Amino acid sequence: MQDSVMKKITWILILFILMGCTWKPTVGKPEDTGSQWWKTTVFYEVFIRSFYDSNGDGIGDLKGLTEKLDYLNDGDPNTTDDLGITGIWLMPIHPSPSYHGYDVLNYYAINPEYGTLDDFRVFLNEAHKRGIRVIIDLVLNHSSNQHPFFQNALTGENAPYHDWYVWSDTYNGNGWHEATVGSEIKYYYGYFCDCMPDFNYANPAVTAQMEKVVSFWLEDVGVDGFRIDAAKHLFEKGTQLENVPATHTWFKEFYPFYKSINQEAYIVGEVAQSSARLTT
């Protein structure tokens, strides 16, 4: 998984850098660009950990990213020594036990290795001043197995968060992982690894919680949207582990929800497959 993540980072950064070097769009404040701003935005993916270290601890951070915003876009359309990007996609910024951050511990906080929520607000404000939109990775499909919700789920079948995850009394093959629930052996589903148990979206409480997360980042913090990780995996049906009709229905219902918070919000889903197609 680590190799695939790094390969993806490398290729996307190369693509975005090339786009930035060949086109310098007109820059204005994000709120002045009108609807469907994403259709003309040049996005630059940032893995904060490897971008710029502001305090010498060997880990890139939000203050470092803020310090280098003029390299990405200085806000002046008459200059040519910046990349001229108009959007930033941040890989996971939440607390996580892993280096990549796709196993989330807290959806409302910033990885302390990257800084604080106040540091993020400063970065976001400075990006917007330069006409740069910001979307963040949102990992809806699963949490960390160290997340308090999953730790609660392990205490027993009647625990408040037990039904927030997908369980079986028997081992059903790849993707199923053994765990002790109370005093019994059970199996939970985690498509990517045992460290990332899948949420149970058949439970409406999971959707309600993730809607609160989306509201927090769109309304309270002010990000411009999200990149949904593993979008095709929200629901499983028997041996069908991706693109289940219930997943499509969920996103159709999710669309008016987040648009009701911010009509200008943009969300893009990761659907990694050879038969991928683009529709408008």
Side-chain angles (χ1 to χ4, degrees), residues 1-2 47 80 95-96 115 121 157 166 173 182 197 227 234 242 279:
M1 180 175 179
Q2 293 184 359
F47 185 35
T80 58
S96 169
R121 293 181 189 275
E157 293 188 20
V166 182
R227 179 262 192 189
L234 290 194
E242 58 187 50
T279 59

Side-chain angles (χ1 to χ4, degrees), residues 94-131:
H94 307 303
S96 169
S98 65
Y99 84 96
H100 50 72
Y102 283 100
D103 42 345
V104 176
L105 292 172
N106 184 343
Y107 286 89
Y108 297 92
I110 298 292
N111 187 329
E113 293 183 327
Y114 295 166
T116 66
L117 188 56
D118 284 341
D119 292 334
F120 183 85
R121 293 181 189 275
V122 170
F123 153 72
L124 187 64
N125 183 57
E126 291 300 317
H128 283 167
K129 284 181 182 178
R130 292 162 173 79

Side-chain angles (χ1 to χ4, degrees), residues 58-79:
I59 299 172
D61 47 52
L62 285 163
K63 288 183 178 179
L65 178 56
T66 305
E67 184 178 335
K68 293 298 181 180
L69 278 175
D70 282 348
Y71 163 73
L72 300 176
N73 190 330
D74 62 10
D76 184 351
N78 298 312
T79 59

